[in-house]
Amino acid sequence: MALLAPDKIEGIIPLGTSLDYESERARSLGCWDGPSVLTGSIDAWTSKTPTPDFEPDDQFCDFLIDKGFGKNSDKNVRDFWTKTIRANYKGDEGRRRARMAAVNVRERDGLHGRLFDVTCPVMWLHGTNDAIFSVTDAEQEIKLFVNSPSAQLVTVKDGQHFLSASHPQDADDALVDFVGRC
């Protein structure tokens, strides 16, 4: 929307992300290797045969939880999300949704070429312990908002990839401050 209706957008808040595709540049800056990590699951979940008994295994659940909340996440958090992931991706329809989500992440396009046209303020929130995208990547990419009146990277110490879950108060405070300035 910041590109299509810039007069209506007061600001952008990227949260624990990368604006690149799953590139070698991003990997060289410490971001994950999404294609390598996801291809095995995509291949395993590709089936013309119905899979009514499909349920994500422990490895998949642990992968999502470890990457999003951190390997040392609380047992209650881990148990809740394992149950939720299994319920969400259960059966043939769940398998197809899990596969499509993985394909979309593996094959996503980048936004670098579009950032020149962003003309609103940007506040990028990023956790220092994000297991998917590095702070180094965020430090480089925030500089691509060359026509933004202000482009600021705010790092949250020990914040995970799911920053609003690992550090909700820090994320909330930064958001309220940013919205108050826009």
Side-chain angles (χ1 to χ4, degrees):
M1 288 305 298
L3 299 175
L4 299 174
D7 56 315
K8 297 188 184 300
I9 303 301
E10 297 290 327
I12 299 174
I13 307 169
L15 181 63
T17 191
S18 174
L19 303 175
D20 200 356
Y21 68 100
E22 302 298 327
S23 73
E24 182 55 40
R25 183 204 72 81
R27 288 189 288 279
S28 75
L29 296 174
C31 297
W32 77 324
D33 185 354
S36 294
V37 171
L38 297 170
T39 296
S41 293
I42 291 167
D43 291 347
W45 298 336
T46 301
S47 174
K48 288 184 178 181
T49 305
T51 56
D53 297 328
F54 177 82
E55 182 177 272
D57 60 18
D58 288 340
Q59 182 180 356
F60 177 71
C61 294
D62 287 341
F63 166 77
L64 287 180
I65 295 164
D66 290 350
K67 294 299 184 192
F69 296 101
K71 289 185 184 265
N72 296 321
S73 61
D74 181 80
K75 182 181 178 342
N76 291 332
V77 168
R78 187 168 293 278
D79 290 347
F80 172 83
W81 283 107
T82 297
K83 181 179 175 183
T84 301
I85 291 164
R86 286 197 170 127
N88 187 50
Y89 294 117
K90 188 174 184 170
D92 197 49
E93 183 60 33
R95 175 194 55 82
R96 285 196 297 262
R97 278 196 327 278
R99 181 183 174 279
M100 193 52 59
V103 167
N104 288 339
V105 170
R106 181 184 71 180
E107 299 177 8
R108 73 189 180 108
D109 68 340
L111 300 173
H112 287 178
R114 301 172 195 135
L115 300 179
F116 176 88
D117 296 305
V118 173
T119 58
C120 63
V122 178
M123 182 191 63
W124 187 320
L125 284 172
H126 206 94
T128 60
N129 286 350
D130 189 319
I132 302 292
F133 302 118
S134 70
V135 171
T136 304
D137 182 60
E139 289 169 341
Q140 287 191 8
E141 290 186 331
I142 193 70
K143 295 173 186 174
L144 298 176
F145 290 98
V146 296
N147 287 313
S148 169
S150 68
Q152 172 190 17
L153 172 64
V154 176
T155 58
V156 177
K157 186 177 177 356
D158 299 326
Q160 301 294 326
H161 184 60
F162 296 158
L163 183 59
S164 59
S166 73
H167 289 71
Q169 193 61 56
D170 293 317
D172 289 353
D173 291 347
L175 293 170
V176 167
D177 179 61
F178 179 71
V179 169
R181 289 184 279 129
C182 285

